[in-house]
Amino acid sequence: AQSVTQLDSQVPVFEEAPVELRCNYSSSVSVYLFWYVQYPNQGLQLLLKYLSGSTLVESINGFEAEFNKSQTSFHLRKPSVHISDTAEYFCAVSEGSGATNKLIFGTGTLLAVQP
Amino acid sequence: NAGVMQNPRHLVRRRGQEARLRCSPMKGHSHVYWYRQLPEEGLKFMVYLQKENIIDESGMPKERFSAEFPKEGPSILRIQQVVRGDSAAYFCASSPRNPQEGHGYTFGSGTRLTVV
């Protein structure tokens, strides 16, 4: 069965510092990988996704994630964070071709950016 | 182009009452998913529907919970005889394409159910 592990429940960081949010998954089949962001009292917004091709994917607001098949990881990084990046970040996985597109989510990591 | 619309945003029910949560997918989307987020937890898949069909309900509790997506109108998640443990945020998501293409979907803002 698929599962997603986000080891860090909370990551405090100072503004303009770099950050890495860790995500590891387990699956016996090919997968699609996603990062979603949730601001307080809002729904989830897709931040970036890996479907195939280049293992490094980027978002429009400076985040990037790298798919590492050998380490079954999809860590999210940003070289310099802003106060506005404070939110809950969820890593998710779904099975590849032939599946129902059901997403399995990690428990989330709260990114707390401090001035 | 409106996003995924969920209503109500907040719903308070007494134990034993029924809760009905509505979800209107994005225009042109025919796949709907329901997820539940318990306090301090990630989202858990509940059910996946297409118009008039339940495709995957492996995450639905066996009793009191049901979902539908009729030919016309929104998708409905119904919880009968609610209990305090049903208090959670319920999110709906929709996607336009064949799910085998593996695209992420668009989430609504959720319905926060509180059972008192």
Side-chain angles (χ1 to χ4, degrees), chain A residues 32 34 36 38 41-44 46 49 51 90 94 96-108, chain B residues 9 33 35 37 40-43 45 48 55-56 58 91 95 99-105 107-109 112:
Chain A
Y32 300 134
F34 306 85
Y36 282 85
Q38 184 181 31
N41 296 316
Q42 295 187 25
L44 277 71
L46 180 64
K49 61 186 177 185
L51 304 181
F90 292 94
S94 72
S97 178
T100 62
N101 208 30
K102 175 174 63 181
L103 288 178
I104 307 299
F105 283 88
T107 51
Chain B
R9 288 293 302 272
Y33 307 78
Y35 285 78
Q37 185 179 31
E40 308 300 323
E41 293 187 18
L43 278 75
F45 169 79
Y48 162 42
I55 307 301
D56 181 350
S58 58
F91 290 96
S95 69
Q100 294 182 5
E101 295 180 13
H103 295 273
Y105 22 73
F107 279 88
S109 297
R112 280 150 184 85

Side-chain angles (χ1 to χ4, degrees), chain A residues 20-46:
Chain A
E20 178 180 83
L21 306 183
R22 295 181 293 169
C23 172
N24 288 88
Y25 69 93
S26 66
S27 176
S28 58
V29 298
S30 62
V31 295
Y32 300 134
L33 294 156
F34 306 85
W35 276 99
Y36 282 85
V37 58
Q38 184 181 31
Y39 297 100
N41 296 316
Q42 295 187 25
L44 277 71
Q45 301 173 30
L46 180 64

